[in-house]
Amino acid sequence: MYQTRPWQKVLRYFTIIIVSIMFFFPTYWMITMSFKPKGEWNSAAGTIYWVPQNPTLDNYKTVLTEYRGQFFRANQSSALPSIRSSIVVSIGGTLFALLIGTLAAYGISRHSTDTGDLPWYIAVGRLGLLVLVMLPFIVLWARLGILATWYGILTFTIIGIVADQIIGRVLGKYYKGAVGSLSFSILQLRMFPPMAILIPVMIMWSTFRLIDTWYGLVIVYGVVTFPFVVWLMKSFFDDIPKELDEAAVVDGSSNWRAFFKVVLPLAKGGLASTALFVFILNWSDFLVALLLTSRNWGTIPVFLNKLVSSEIGAQHGPKAALGLLAVIPPVVFGLLIQQYLVRGLTFGAIKK
Amino acid sequence: MAASTPITTKATPGSANRRLRWIDMNNTRTFATTLTLPAQLVLLLIMIFPLLAVVYISMTSWSPTQGGDWTQAYKFWDWGRNYVEVFTDPFFWQALGRTFLIVGIAVPLEFLLGLGLAFLFLEDFRGKRIFYALMLIPMMIVPAVAGYMFWMMFQSNGPINAVISAIIGQPFTLAWLSSEAPATVAVIIAEVWQWTPLMFLIMASGLVGLPEDQMRAATMLGASGWQKFRYLMLPMLKPIIIIALVIRGMEAVKIFDSIFLMTAGGPARATESLSIYMYKVAFQQVRWSFAAAAAMTVLVIMTIIASYALRPLQAPQREAQAAMRQAAETGAAGSD
Amino acid sequence: MASIKLDKLRKQFKEVLAVEGLNLDIEDGMFVAFLGPSGCGKTTTMNMIAGLEQPTSGDLYFDGKRMNDVPAGKRGVGFVFQNYAIFTHMTVYENVGFGLKVRGCPEVEMKREVGKIAELLELTPMLDWNAGKLSINDMQKVALGRSMITNPGIFLLDEPFSNLDASFRAYMRGELKRIQREIKQTMIYVTHDQVEAMSMADRIAVMYCGQLYQWGSPDDVYNRPVNAFVARFIGSPNMNFIECAYEVENGQGFLQQRKGGLRVPVDAKRRRLLEDRTGPNNLILGIRPEHMKVYQQPEPNALWQGTAYALEPLGPLTIAHTEVGGDRVQVKASGGYRTRPGDPQWVALDLEYIHIFDGETKLVIR
Amino acid sequence: METQKSAKKITRRDFLRAAGIAGVGVVAAGCAQQAPAPAAPTAAPATAAPAAATAVPAVVSTKPGLAAGMIGGPTGFEGAERYQYGPDSPAGRAIEALKQLPADKKPEKLIVMHPEGAVGHWSVAFPEGAPTPAQIFEEETGIKLDIVGVSENDQFTKIIQDTTTKAGQWDVYSFWGNNRGTLAESGAFFVLDDFVAQHRPEWDKAYAGGQTTVESYAKYNGKYVCVSFDGDYQSWNFRRDLFEDATEQKNFKAKYGWDLQWPETFEQLDQISEFFMRPDQNLLGCTDIRNSIWGLTNWIQRYASAANPFQGYFDPKTGKPLINSPAGIRATQEYSDTMAFKSKDAVSWGWPEQYANFTAGGAAVTCAFPNMPKFLDNAGNADSKVVGKIRTGLAPGRIVDGKLIRRTLWWPNITLAVSTQTKYPEASYLWMQWANSPSMFTFMVGNPAGYYDPFQNSDFKDPVVVASYHDYHVPTMIASIEHSVPPLNLNGASEYETALDTNVQAVIAGKKTAEQAMADCEAEWEKITDRIGREKQVAAIAAQMAAFSTVVDEPKIKS
């Protein structure tokens, strides 16, 4: 493995080039598509345009300009507001997820026996009990007509939290072992398809007037992606010797100081790559943005949908153009943290 | 650190440990609670109401088209008939099975490709950085756009068939997206294309992180390339392989955008994944109470899977506990 | 058990020449130390012997057989790495037995072999432990045992003791010597610690900047260094060097100190050598601290007068730093020797043991 | 070679010119004769058009440029008087009523959801010198218009979101007409009956096809709930150059025994499709689409024409599905069999592929929206290889009891309704009545900046509209409207459609027989009906019957 013969070298080069071409081709297709005029978008007429015959910037004009011309175009508005929106909410959501996620990860890694090890019947059972206890309340709230008011939701949530805690304690008496696990529930949350839960979230958001605001989206993005942060950051923290922060604490610094001044700087590579991941996840989300925005804060994927019209079909060229523009922020982010990427992504799992 | 701690340990191992632990106990509980509190709170504050609202709706036959407000759903209370419907709906189980099929093929494929590529990129060669960057681009492309590109490329007179035709030397005009098996293959290819870079990145950094001397030691002991891979690399990479597979698996079961744009779950229902199914039920057919029941069913299924998926992740913790026991033994042996 | 022959072995990494035309004959069963500062090419040489690196040119023979094209694992070479390269995810047993396992050795035999090695290295109680959690001292032993199990003819050790604490290091030095005696393998030992090399090796190869400076027994390299570098590298504290010129006065040959006016007479043999040589009269006088004596009063044989500069009491002996005629020298004195900086001192030299080096080439004049 | 080169040059120059004008090449110069150059983004207001103003004698009017007796409408360009309205017209009544609304019922601004691609009708001035409709409305009523573009695909979700959360983000919703029943039952739409009675929009007079069209376009379950802004009936296009080619005619006659011409029945159409199916020459027989959901447009045409006067979806008395019948099985079988005359990818081909293929001259016959001749038979469309080669025809049908039944499908696109969440339902309705009035709608349909298609009588008389849609196409369009049937726009339409679609797709994929598919679909439909509530559905089905065309023709072609 550390000695290569010439034929191996040639073979490797060959393989790399072939694989790279295969992997790059869709990207190439997107790039060239963004410069093709409409007549060359489609292969339905029987001709494949491998390179644009008449390269044009029209597709970019189409997505970036407010259209007031006299000819029908699928989108009349410019994508710029959606780009701004995407940047704001993706960065905001990423920061929020990093904030709560990193703290929780550190807590779980250092100060908790929480291994995420929870038998499924306990997890389901606990949820089931909570449902049993809370269903009468929700029906009562509905009958009282306060289910969709902010005070109704708030009181209901508080009762729910209390009930959840009591159920946890009671279960703990009869079952030896963990009955609740933060790291488990957040992973569970992450695996849950967002479709269905989004409907009540939408209702709740509307009640709290968070629909179509950037902060409303930021909170949801944060909640949806912070499980990632917890799992990734936990493995990074696990890799940093516990003695380090303990030594700092023995030397007289506070727990917080030890975390921020000693541990976090050591984990910054991991933090950077986690941030990139979470950013990409937020950046490419479509459904949450669709359901929680209306007029002002639609993101790029939501705008992409405007590039389809039943009359003239999907605007492949503009879509590719906007797609290409949308690649820029993650790539820039990736370049900024490039130095951390390769090392950081081992998730600290390899012990030296 | 290297200077201070070992000395302390060495001087009075027992007492120092006890002292550290004592400090831990003293203020760490509050500290630990403070650390996890935001996450706990956010989780409960934001999830409790929607979760129970989903359960509430699922116990009724209400949907927006029944008229009336969702809060009034109790008027349509039907004791969870929706759950019976979910359990007897073949499309639900088909979608579930199909999702696991796609995940079960795509994720291991991504992993193997990623690992293979990582090996290819282990040594330096001319233009490595450029190829590296090329390999990483797919995961940065918005899935919605990627889905479109694949849709176009998989047309029967599209570029992919053109390339295949050129290779086999005769016209190849498979209509990929028009029948079940090829459409599934196409969906998997798109998924693999988009996410192999992530696996590649993870595996590449894993390989770079492998201790070189251990590899050389194995070489010196006469291990073949395969033996090194089997006995050294694989066990050493195991933790990140597991994390990578779990993370990818978690995301892949939600596969939506690419399928939605390439086939919209079609032809017929041939590529309908769980998310596509849920989307159709919730946002095309607006059967919200049924969608809610399906969602709760999925939640339970996913909970069961999560509890097993997490097992391998706890291996390090178990190892750490074993190490602590071992350290205790050593300590005891030393004091004898 | 094998003899090793290096023939004009050369290794070049892009711009850097790591090893330059190395010729070396190592006899069967010999314990050899490669000694030199880091970056001197000793590890590269060892890697080439092991097969981990291909020489750029030159040949390598074991028992007269050319080994250049034999892959690393097939040369019958055991290798202990500086950081031990323990397989941390395996138990001690699996580590030690690895070499047999990859050879497809049956479990029963493996158990027996591992048991033997463990006995030899006193590892038996730890066999089931996780190797990653061992103390550094035990790891060292596991690394040794792991390389020994395949019974290699040649045994290479790359600074194996550099991570150990001082007392265990001394213990292991003895152990290694014992093991080598018992298994009688050819052993090559890379170190930058001259004490280790002196105390253990039959032969020492002193290397610097990819070149072999000297190849000889510990006695040779200590008493008969070929150049100023070897002279300085061997021995602790280092040899003192004083820049001199050769002068003749009244039929008597002297080395005249450049900075001060001190003189050292030279005997007839050395005088002949010095007079025969051509080139600039630019010499270096080298003398080890142990070959000097220091006094607080004038003594008849104390040729030099100087000033006390500093004192290093080491218990059994004291190192006296003394300034003589502008040069500082270190002298070994008895353990109880005490003085204060600035005090006058008188230094005597054992003229038998002086070394004279060419000031330009740094080669010894002998 | 030389000529080719120069031809290419010109194409390129043309292309660059088109590119300078608009982002979308195909649509470029859709109305080249009328609008040679684009207007500045902010068009001059009506008052600042002295040339036009002097051309029309000033009579009693509130603003200059109006013709005699007119109280409002666009001004400032030649022919503006065609679009002006008097006080006793639908538009005039709406404006007057709006002016008289009490302050608490008169909004400052109306927020209107609109498909993104159609916003241009409101924001772009056309023709040159004209004010935009939004400007006219604000000037005449003092109410601002905010026409917000939303992706067509997301409109439904947004409406459900707005209604469920009671957010009230919109005064007027826009949606695909098929979702009408579902959204109406969800309580999203304000019932307009009172307003209609009070303000008399006279849609029956305005719409081609009269009362049937009104039933189809504006009502659900017998109540007025919405207003259509788009005439999206299916119409058929064929290649004149192929149909009129003497050799082709000779060969065709020899093979099938009747003269090559636009067919009356599907059997004839399928023979023509077979005749022209020449994939080796890059020519497909017939490319009416077969993709998911949209392909149903063609299934329904084959299905609805199977009985005299029409084959409905459900029994209006019991709500039982009628698809598991010879009519349904036959339509399904043909739907699958005719795949032979299409691209192999037909099940994944949507409109863009079909349009692109036809643009390149890749098919002999196709079925599309009425705008196909406008886009493709257009000298300004540099990509089009079929300029001057298109003719259109009414959908083929079937001969039942000696009568020819031809049914086209009205698959409505842009439909607007007043939100139940708005604070200003009456103002919202009045705006819709004004915008949908013959004068204003025809004015807007002529504007190429959006994709409203004509369906009102006045549209087909308007020279601008006729010029861009072509005079040969006008009779087809009118006939298509008169022969149209509504889609499955009941409550649960999407479920019914999905069930039907997956079943017919399964037949195409060879997984089911047509009989099996229809039986399965019937069972699924029954389940859906039962779940939604049969009684309610039956009422809606019965009401929908009035929307089916009952026009019956005599067969002429002997084949």
Side-chain angles (χ1 to χ4, degrees), chain D residues 135-190:
Chain D
Q135 285 167 344
I136 298 173
F137 187 72
E138 187 180 347
E139 196 181 318
E140 294 186 8
T141 64
I143 300 169
K144 281 199 185 72
L145 270 183
D146 191 359
I147 312 280
V148 182
V150 170
S151 162
E152 291 167 23
N153 296 324
D154 300 340
Q155 293 179 140
F156 179 72
T157 314
K158 297 272 181 202
I159 295 173
I160 289 280
Q161 179 208 55
D162 197 53
T163 309
T164 317
T165 61
K166 298 189 161 48
Q169 305 245 13
W170 316 89
D171 295 308
V172 176
Y173 295 141
S174 154
F175 60 97
W176 268 333
N178 290 18
N179 293 324
R180 176 193 305 170
T182 309
L183 289 171
E185 292 288 354
S186 301
F189 301 155
F190 201 94

Side-chain angles (χ1 to χ4, degrees), chain B residues 10 213-224 227-228 231-232 235-236 319-320 323 326 329-330 333, chain C residues 47 50 52-53 72-73 77 79 81 83 85-90 98-99 101-103 129-130 133 146-147:
Chain B
K10 209 181 156 205
D213 273 351
Q214 296 193 15
M215 297 303 133
R216 303 172 72 148
T219 309
M220 290 313 301
L221 289 167
S224 65
Q227 283 171 327
K228 271 184 281 185
Y231 295 125
L232 293 182
M236 284 192 223
E319 222 170 77
Q326 183 179 315
E329 276 177 48
T330 327
Chain C
N47 284 344
L52 292 172
E53 263 156 31
V77 172
F79 202 122
F81 289 83
N83 54 13
I86 291 296
F87 305 143
T88 46
H89 58 285
M90 298 183 189
F98 188 82
K101 186 174 178 181
V102 298
R103 282 174 175 72
W129 290 10
N130 184 338
K133 306 291 193 268
R146 188 177 64 184
S147 326

